[in-house]
Amino acid sequence: MKNFLVKTIRLTATASLPTVLFTMTISQRPAIAGLIGNCVNDLIDSGVVSEQAAAACSDVLEPTELSSCVGDIQNGANIKAQDALQACYRVRRPQDLARCTIDLSGNLGESKPTMALDYCRRSLLPTRYAECTLDLQDTAELSSMKAMETCITAEFFPSTIAPETTQQ
């Protein structure tokens, strides 16, 4: 029985040797390096200066989200890549920023798409902000500017929703 185990171990070790050698020859660079390179390439293709693209992509936690945000805003809202990069870099939720900007810029017309970008960037919850703005435009028939201003300054005070009750 002992000989059988020794032979089995030797055979297993011999069979796994090519796998071990192959694994050792693969580059040990982190996978994120490919993401950063793709991010830089995408931003340069969008029109961002290479130094700015490199600095931005190497500094963010999710480089793919950054480049996707810039590309989506540039294509969907007709905003310069430089402006989109500044906004996408400064938010926690770049995908939500892009969606918000695209949704709102369609209602502002061609004259003020950067205004939608700025308001969406200032919001902590861009998706919810866009929903608020579009709902106010539709239901309250407010102008785009008035709806955007109302939603960005909206405050939540529980006492105004459920007034305090006195205890008896």
Side-chain angles (χ1 to χ4, degrees), residues 73-147:
I73 289 173
Q74 183 184 24
N75 296 330
N78 199 23
I79 294 175
K80 292 184 219 172
Q82 289 293 121
D83 295 335
L85 175 61
Q86 297 242 341
C88 293
Y89 181 78
R90 295 169 58 186
V91 297
R92 293 181 301 155
R93 296 183 168 108
Q95 299 294 356
D96 290 352
L97 171 71
R99 182 83 265 142
C100 175
T101 302
I102 292 167
D103 290 349
L104 294 185
S105 66
N107 288 343
L108 289 174
E110 295 296 315
S111 60
K112 302 176 182 176
T114 55
M115 190 171 294
L117 177 65
D118 183 53
Y119 274 86
C120 290
R121 181 195 55 78
R122 290 170 41 199
S123 174
L124 292 176
L125 300 169
T127 304
R128 190 169 189 190
Y129 172 74
E131 182 182 327
C132 172
T133 301
L134 296 173
D135 283 351
L136 287 183
Q137 283 179 289
D138 291 342
T139 57
E141 297 179 3
L142 295 177
S143 69
S144 299
M145 289 305 306
K146 183 66 177 165

Side-chain angles (χ1 to χ4, degrees), residues 150-167:
T150 300
C151 290
I152 201 72
T153 60
E155 295 178 351
F156 175 75
F157 293 109
S159 62
T160 60
I161 294 171
E164 293 180 25
T165 57
T166 56
Q167 292 183 353

Side-chain angles (χ1 to χ4, degrees), residues 20-61:
V20 172
L21 292 175
F22 176 73
T23 307
M24 292 174 58
T25 61
I26 294 176
S27 173
Q28 297 299 316
R29 293 171 42 202
I32 192 97
L35 297 177
I36 292 172
N38 289 337
C39 174
V40 171
N41 286 333
D42 290 347
L43 290 181
I44 291 171
D45 290 345
S46 295
V48 175
V49 178
S50 61
E51 291 81 18
Q52 287 179 327
C57 291
S58 65
D59 196 33
V60 295
L61 185 60

